[in-house]
Amino acid sequence: MGNKIKCVALSALVLPGLGQLYRGSRVKGGVMILLDNIFILGGLFIAMRSAGKLMLAARGGGVDAEHVLASIQTDSPYAKWLLIGFLLLWVYGVVDAIFDKENHIN
């Protein structure tokens, strides 16, 4: 049971896919880590693009919180989907690390 806890901790706390790699599912773990990186890099790209526009807008004066939220919502409609995808992948990684019957490590 101790190794199962390690797999769940790796997948849940560090990065989805590491628990699968630890259990020996190299393809599944690699695909999950690749998807993690796509979600993270996509989110960073959207955040940096929005931040750049806000910094340029703030040059002329103060920017209030409502303007910031409105700008992020209009500039990045896909940010919500990236976050949902990452969260689904994270939940799948934890559940798979707990219930995977293929690769048992005793």
Side-chain angles (χ1 to χ4, degrees), residues 54-63:
L54 288 174
M55 288 172 32
L56 288 174
R59 274 179 142 183
V63 178

Side-chain angles (χ1 to χ4, degrees), residues 30-91:
V31 168
M32 289 179 70
I33 290 173
L34 177 68
L35 289 173
D36 290 335
N37 285 325
I38 289 170
F39 288 133
I40 290 169
L41 290 174
L44 284 173
F45 175 75
I46 288 171
M48 294 301 287
R49 187 177 65 186
S50 295
K53 289 180 181 179
L54 288 174
M55 288 172 32
L56 288 174
R59 274 179 142 183
V63 178
D64 59 352
E66 291 176 12
H67 180 72
V68 171
L69 288 175
S71 175
I72 291 173
Q73 288 174 348
T74 57
D75 286 345
S76 53
Y78 303 112
K80 174 176 59 174
W81 294 109
L82 283 172
L83 179 61
I84 289 170
F86 181 78
L87 290 175
L88 288 174
L89 187 64
W90 179 78
V91 168

